[in-house]
Amino acid sequence: EQRELGRLRSKPSRTVDGVDITLYANAESREDIARAHALGAAGVGLYRTEFLFLRSDGLPDEETQFRVYRDAVLGMSGRAVTFRTLDLGADKADRAGLAVANEDNPALGVRGVRLTLAHAGVFDTQLRAILRASGYGPVRILVPMVSSREELISVRRRIRNATVALRKAGHVVAENIPLGAMIEVPAAAIAVASFADTVDFLSVGTNDLVQYLLAADRNNEALSTLYSPLHPGVLRLLRHVVRSAAEADTPVAVCGEIAGDPLMTPLLLALGITELSLHPATLLEVRRCIRESDLSVLGARLDTLLKARDRAGIERWLTGRGKA
Ligand code: PEP
Ligand code: MG
């Protein structure tokens, strides 16, 4: 079984009916980058930068961040690395002391892009480090917890200003670095069409989207049954995001944990998702599942999936896969 999986390293992530699915890796360490590269990931679709801010006692300076980002870019030798800007909040151990202390609802508080826009100096330092890394290979920038187009316009402005300043100082910064938004706030998922023109790509963070959609804390053990993507509301919203993104001609990926669960692969493919970003640990298993899937068969079963009325119905759909 391991040897059979190993052979998939050099195989395309292509369905039975010949559609290529893009498999990006999620990464946050050198080891992840090395594995992503070795497994033939199309790039890094989600590079979580928080670890730099959680491990050190103070804030990491531009030079420290630059070296880490540059090494990630070099490690992927020409395949794009998608850097997610700092996604800190009071829900994460915040040694840098940036988050607002004592928020009643940290998951609904000043986190993600809300936090970075409130700390312009910290944000600009990170952006400069990422932009400098773009001189060493393809880079994309992904913004977490987006809820409005104003946030994206502000981020774009900061990127533009940082680029001008860096070039003036003699640094090489790539042209037209793609900017993306994470879709994790339900209002952003519903209203994708209202800001799709401000971004180059989208990435659905189902870990948070499911939490906010079901009003169920992703870390609360007592709600672990409720906290699940196998809910008709979640599936309908994912389908809506896929369609809105297609209408806006904007590529969309799924980068939450469900992207790395091979049991979920047929469901995501049926919903029309053609890009996934997942931890390298299960990349080959997901690739195998894709290679056994037929999109025309799954597409014909989409209606049945969207009509499922409860978790049991969705699970029945999943186990009956293969049959139209
Ligand atoms: C998500 O919310 O699905 C996601 C990928 O981001 P994180 O798990 O880091 O919040
Ligand atoms: Mg998230």
Side-chain angles (χ1 to χ4, degrees):
E1 144 110 22
Q2 279 311 315
R3 273 180 55 199
E4 184 229 314
L5 272 181
R7 275 201 290 272
L8 293 179
R9 282 166 177 256
S10 53
K11 293 276 193 324
S13 308
R14 188 170 296 151
T15 63
V16 171
D17 47 339
V19 179
D20 284 314
I21 304 299
T22 307
L23 288 190
Y24 293 110
N26 291 354
E28 55 183 5
S29 66
R30 271 173 194 278
E31 296 74 46
D32 292 342
I33 296 282
R35 280 175 89 185
H37 186 270
L39 298 177
V44 171
L46 173 66
Y47 187 95
R48 290 185 169 99
T49 60
E50 293 82 66
F51 76 95
L52 272 168
F53 293 76
L54 299 174
R55 284 179 200 171
S56 57
D57 285 328
L59 286 169
D61 63 15
E62 180 181 321
E63 212 51 39
T64 307
Q65 292 187 61
F66 162 65
R67 277 190 229 111
V68 173
Y69 303 156
R70 178 201 57 197
D71 290 350
V73 169
L74 291 174
M76 288 306 288
S77 46
R79 291 175 243 164
V81 178
T82 308
F83 291 102
R84 179 175 72 181
T85 60
L86 181 59
D87 186 12
L88 261 191
D91 56 335
K92 300 215 169 108
D94 175 28
R95 285 205 234 149
L98 286 174
V100 178
N102 308 320
E103 282 182 318
D104 278 346
N105 291 304
L108 306 181
V110 184
R111 55 168 292 202
V113 70
R114 306 165 183 182
L115 184 96
T116 44
L117 285 177
H119 293 272
V122 175
F123 196 27
D124 288 346
T125 301
Q126 177 170 50
L127 290 175
R128 286 172 58 94
I130 296 172
L131 293 170
R132 284 173 59 193
S134 78
Y136 296 79
V139 156
R140 309 197 301 172
I141 297 177
L142 178 60
V143 186
M145 285 297 288
V146 168
S147 50
S148 70
R149 70 184 276 121
E150 291 89 331
E151 289 163 344
L152 291 162
I153 289 167
S154 298
V155 172
R156 259 208 200 279
R157 189 181 316 118
R158 302 214 82 85
I159 292 175
R160 202 179 316 118
N161 291 344
T163 301
V164 169
L166 283 169
R167 287 192 178 136
K168 219 176 248 168
H171 292 287
V172 176
V173 178
E175 299 287 339
N176 303 322
I177 295 174
L179 177 67
M182 286 195 69
I183 304 293
E184 2 186 39
V185 174
I190 292 166
V192 165
S194 69
F195 61 83
D197 63 310
T198 66
V199 291
D200 304 294
F201 66 99
L202 299 163
S203 194
V204 188
T206 45
N207 304 337
D208 277 312
L209 185 61
V210 169
Q211 142 166 286
Y212 296 128
L213 204 53
L214 291 166
D217 183 340
R218 62 193 265 187
N219 299 317
N220 188 334
E221 286 291 328
L223 297 174
S224 60
T225 312
L226 178 61
Y227 176 80
S228 161
L230 302 183
H231 185 288
V234 173
L235 302 191
R236 284 168 204 217
L237 188 56
L238 287 175
R239 179 64 187 157
H240 169 76
V241 170
V242 168
R243 296 184 72 135
S244 311
E247 273 163 29
D249 213 9
T250 305
V252 61
V254 168
C255 68
E257 298 311 310
I258 63 171
D261 179 354
L263 295 174
M264 294 293 289
T265 308
L267 183 148
L268 295 172
L269 294 178
L271 290 170
I273 286 152
T274 56
E275 296 186 15
L276 300 171
S277 191
L278 60 157
H279 193 268
T282 56
L283 192 140
L284 294 181
E285 281 174 70
V286 170
R287 178 175 289 156
R288 176 169 61 191
C289 192
I290 289 168
R291 294 170 58 84
E292 290 167 354
S293 300
D294 187 326
L295 281 196
S296 59
V297 173
L298 290 170
R301 299 183 63 227
L302 176 61
D303 265 359
T304 321
L305 175 63
L306 294 175
K307 278 185 192 143
R309 293 188 295 184
D310 53 18
R311 183 181 176 132
I314 297 168
E315 281 171 348
R316 274 197 303 280
W317 186 94
L318 278 171
T319 52
R321 74 194 172 92
K323 281 174 272 152

